[in-house]
Amino acid sequence: QVQLQESGPGLVKPSQTLSLTCTVSGGSITSADYYWIWIRQPPGKGLEWMGAISGYGSTWYNPSIKSRTSISRDTSKNQFTLQLSSVTPEDTAEYYCARDQTLEAVKGRGSWGQGIQVTVSS
């Protein structure tokens, strides 16, 4: 039974870098069977796929935010992280980490964390 939990700051100032960590238990982030994914949902809007890292360490990003996004991992801690630079209030959202068998995280199939609210404000 895999569990994922997001952690990080709930409030970030504009122009700063947001860093979130997903801690995984019950499964290894080096597993070749899964992708490890970040998704966000701004208030009143739909889910936005941000990017993913594979069990091999390969990464993929949403082209709309690719220039500001970095996903990495720490295999010794079984964690993967999201860094989003130069944040603006438009980056305010609920952020989720997830595991799925494809690059797209499917709610009814993959495993999701509970989410963490991040507000960008001065």
Side-chain angles (χ1 to χ4, degrees):
Q1 183 179 0
V2 66
Q3 293 182 322
L4 297 85
Q5 184 170 7
E6 304 88 349
S7 62
L11 180 65
V12 184
K13 295 181 178 180
S15 80
Q16 298 294 305
T17 296
L18 169 66
S19 182
L20 298 175
T21 297
C22 184
T23 300
V24 178
S25 62
S28 174
I29 63 171
T30 63
S31 173
D33 297 326
Y34 299 102
Y35 298 94
W36 308 87
I37 305 159
W38 286 101
I39 312 99
R40 68 180 180 181
Q41 185 170 30
K45 299 182 180 180
L47 296 170
E48 180 184 28
W49 183 88
M50 301 185 69
I53 187 166
S54 75
Y56 299 105
S58 299
T59 54
W60 296 262
Y61 300 102
N62 187 325
S64 67
I65 56 171
K66 182 178 180 179
S67 64
R68 301 192 293 126
T69 310
S70 179
I71 296 174
S72 59
R73 64 181 185 172
D74 185 338
T75 58
S76 68
K77 297 180 179 179
N78 210 35
Q79 297 175 330
F80 64 105
T81 63
L82 170 72
Q83 290 188 297
L84 184 66
S85 65
S86 302
V87 298
T88 73
E90 292 183 345
D91 293 310
T92 294
E94 186 87 0
Y95 286 76
Y96 300 90
C97 59
R99 183 195 75 172
D100 209 339
Q101 295 176 312
T102 66
L103 281 172
E104 181 182 8
V106 179
K107 268 283 193 178
R109 183 180 67 200
S111 298
W112 289 54
Q114 66 180 7
I116 183 170
Q117 176 65 41
V118 177
T119 299
V120 179
S121 176
S122 60

